[in-house]
Amino acid sequence: MKYKKETCLNCTIKSNVVSSLTEKELARLETGCLQNVFEKGELIFKEGMPANHIVYIREGFVKLSKKGIGGKDYILSIAKKGAYLGINNLNKKTRLYYTSAIALTTTELCFIDIELFGMLLKENGKFATEVIYYIFDDEMNYFDRLVNNVQQQVPGRLANTLFYFKNQVYGTNPFKMNITKVGLASLIGTSRESVTRLLKEFQEEGIIRANKNAITILDEKKLKEIQQKG
């Protein structure tokens, strides 16, 4: 873990949430903000640890996972630049991290004191509104993927996840996945063998092109059909 510092006031990559703060409030935020750089594979925080900070992703990708039955890790989502982690812990009744977070790439983070963040919410209505909007959008995206994963068979879940990577995580086509096939299997709730077989079938049908972790969606119409059929 490396350390890096840039003032909140002069930060060039403020989120819409923080941009709603006044200069005076940004200066206060500065007193409770620590910037860190994590390398690929480093643990940022662990499920069940005391949650003393809201974590903002300045750059990079982070894997969020939770332990299920038997202690097996299940990947819930991939967070990217602009995301806030641990924001659910603003509720003082749950001041433990709900998930574990691991850097998938070199990742720049801001650790914001959770008490200070909460105080600013009470004092600045626009800031509070932006946080509510953020939570709403984040939860709706997660619920949509959760419902699809429950209702779909494995081919539909894989198609859904490929669109999730293209549209929400990486925003490009082609894109390079920062997780392994084991991680991809965990994300959609199946085995590595099933993921490998389906990726091969999608390639043979001309739907995608895969080169190691680099994926190109060649036929979005066919992939959408698989997604909708489930």
Side-chain angles (χ1 to χ4, degrees):
M1 182 174 64
K2 301 174 183 177
Y3 295 91
K4 185 177 181 178
K5 189 65 177 174
E6 182 178 0
T7 65
C8 295
L9 183 60
N10 297 322
C11 180
T12 57
I13 53 174
K14 293 186 188 75
S15 67
N16 289 336
V17 172
V18 171
S19 293
S20 63
L21 295 174
T22 66
E23 290 189 4
K24 184 177 179 180
E25 288 166 337
L26 284 170
R28 286 178 61 197
L29 187 69
E30 174 84 22
T31 65
C33 182
L34 173 66
Q35 295 176 29
N36 292 336
V37 177
F38 287 75
E39 299 300 333
K40 178 179 179 180
E42 282 195 278
L43 178 69
I44 298 166
F45 56 75
K46 188 175 182 179
E47 178 183 348
M49 285 177 53
N52 298 317
H53 297 90
I54 303 296
V55 182
Y56 175 69
I57 304 178
R58 291 169 52 85
E59 195 66 57
F61 296 92
V62 174
K63 174 179 71 175
L64 299 176
S65 64
K66 187 169 181 63
K67 288 193 179 297
I69 296 174
K72 183 177 179 181
D73 283 326
Y74 290 90
I75 299 176
L76 301 179
S77 62
I78 307 297
K80 64 176 181 178
K81 177 180 177 178
Y84 286 89
L85 311 179
I87 206 163
N88 56 299
N89 293 305
L90 286 166
N91 178 357
K92 292 186 178 181
K93 295 180 180 179
T94 55
R95 282 292 173 87
L96 300 175
Y97 284 116
Y98 183 71
T99 64
S100 294
I102 296 175
L104 290 175
T105 60
T106 298
T107 304
E108 298 180 18
L109 303 170
C110 288
F111 285 77
I112 306 168
D113 181 82
I114 198 167
E115 295 291 346
L116 176 57
F117 197 92
M119 288 173 60
L120 290 170
L121 284 175
K122 293 178 182 178
E123 297 171 7
N124 185 319
K126 184 177 180 182
F127 178 60
T129 300
E130 289 294 338
V131 170
I132 291 171
Y133 288 158
Y134 174 83
I135 294 173
F136 177 79
D137 288 342
D138 188 56
E139 287 195 345
M140 290 305 99
N141 288 333
Y142 176 72
F143 290 154
D144 284 343
R145 290 193 301 106
L146 179 62
V147 169
N148 286 336
N149 278 351
V150 170
Q151 295 179 334
Q152 293 172 320
Q153 299 298 315
V154 177
R157 298 204 297 267
L158 178 58
N160 187 58
T161 300
L162 292 176
F163 278 124
Y164 166 63
F165 285 148
K166 172 184 173 289
N167 298 325
Q168 293 177 247
V169 178
Y170 302 109
T172 61
N173 184 33
F175 54 85
K176 184 177 180 180
M177 294 191 300
N178 296 115
I179 60 173
T180 64
K181 289 180 181 177
V182 172
L184 180 56
S186 173
L187 186 60
I188 66 176
T190 189
S191 66
R192 180 186 183 280
E193 291 75 17
S194 293
V195 165
T196 301
R197 175 178 54 80
L198 282 171
L199 287 174
K200 183 178 180 182
E201 289 179 6
F202 284 8
Q203 286 190 84
E204 291 174 346
E205 294 173 17
I207 299 172
I208 66 169
R209 180 169 60 243
N211 182 13
K212 296 183 179 179
N213 284 349
I215 302 288
T216 305
I217 299 176
L218 301 173
D219 195 329
E220 291 198 22
K221 183 179 179 181
K222 284 187 179 179
L223 192 61
K224 180 65 71 174
E225 290 175 357
I226 294 171
Q227 182 188 36
Q228 292 174 344
K229 288 178 181 178

